[in-house]
Amino acid sequence: MKLTHVQATFFRGLLWLGIGVWLLFIGLGFIGETLQAHMMLMHQVDMPLLQWLAPFVGGSERASVLLVVMALCLGYLKNRLALSRSCQKICQRIMLLSNPVVWYRVFRWQYLLLVLLMMGLGMGMKWFHVPLDVRGVIDAAVGSALVNGSLSFFSQ
């Protein structure tokens, strides 16, 4: 399957958007699950961020909202500091390829290796029993960054 430069750029944006929404959904779910466990006084669930923030902000509900806001702000910063430059480089590289582009040439092997490493880190958080609220903030922040970054692909 061959893609024009515009289609290849749009395809990359859709990929980032899809993965970002998925991670954002998972991260918010972890934060919600942590809040629910805290409300039900399930102390066997490890939730260091929520328990630490709750006394300062007036309760676990406000602490979970603050965790979501923190994750979104971290995602915004990650996009501004790293992903926006990466998006520009990817778009420039796509434009240098012959038109039309074979779909698999849109991805460099280094990018695929990075995706595999990131997936490994995500699975590692589960295997190493990272607390759900921490995983939620990380997943929501990365998801938010990818959603923000995907908008750069669509504006190219």
Side-chain angles (χ1 to χ4, degrees):
M1 182 172 135
K2 293 190 176 194
L3 306 168
T4 65
H5 289 156
V6 173
Q7 290 171 330
T9 304
F10 188 77
F11 175 66
R12 289 295 294 259
L14 278 180
L15 187 64
W16 279 32
L17 180 64
I19 294 170
V21 167
W22 178 65
L23 283 173
L24 192 55
F25 182 74
I26 287 174
L28 295 177
F30 283 149
I31 293 172
E33 197 174 320
T34 304
L35 175 62
Q36 184 180 15
H38 190 265
M39 298 297 285
M40 297 176 74
L41 301 175
M42 299 171 71
H43 296 292
Q44 68 270 21
V45 177
D46 193 18
M47 50 190 112
L49 292 177
L50 191 70
Q51 289 174 336
W52 181 75
L53 280 174
F56 293 114
V57 296
S60 56
E61 296 92 353
R62 289 181 180 177
S64 64
V65 170
L66 184 59
L67 289 178
V68 170
V69 170
M70 285 176 22
L72 294 176
C73 289
L74 287 172
Y76 176 77
L77 286 174
K78 180 179 174 71
N79 178 54
R80 294 287 292 180
L81 299 176
L83 292 184
S84 61
R85 277 186 251 132
S86 176
C87 172
Q88 289 173 351
K89 287 180 183 178
I90 290 169
C91 290
Q92 289 171 353
R93 192 181 83 65
I94 288 173
M95 293 303 167
L96 292 176
L97 297 172
S98 62
N99 200 8
V101 180
V102 180
W103 71 271
Y104 60 83
R105 297 227 26 224
V106 174
F107 304 101
R108 297 176 69 190
W109 69 269
Q110 296 96 332
Y111 178 78
L112 296 175
L113 180 64
L114 178 66
V115 169
L116 289 174
L117 287 172
M118 297 303 283
M119 288 171 59
L121 285 172
M123 290 180 210
M125 286 194 299
K126 181 178 181 181
W127 291 331
F128 292 116
H129 305 290
V130 174
L132 287 181
D133 56 351
V134 175
R135 284 175 64 190
V137 169
I138 292 170
D139 285 345
V142 172
S144 170
L146 286 173
V147 168
N148 283 323
S150 72
L151 299 176
S152 299
F153 283 106
F154 298 135
S155 66
Q156 295 292 324

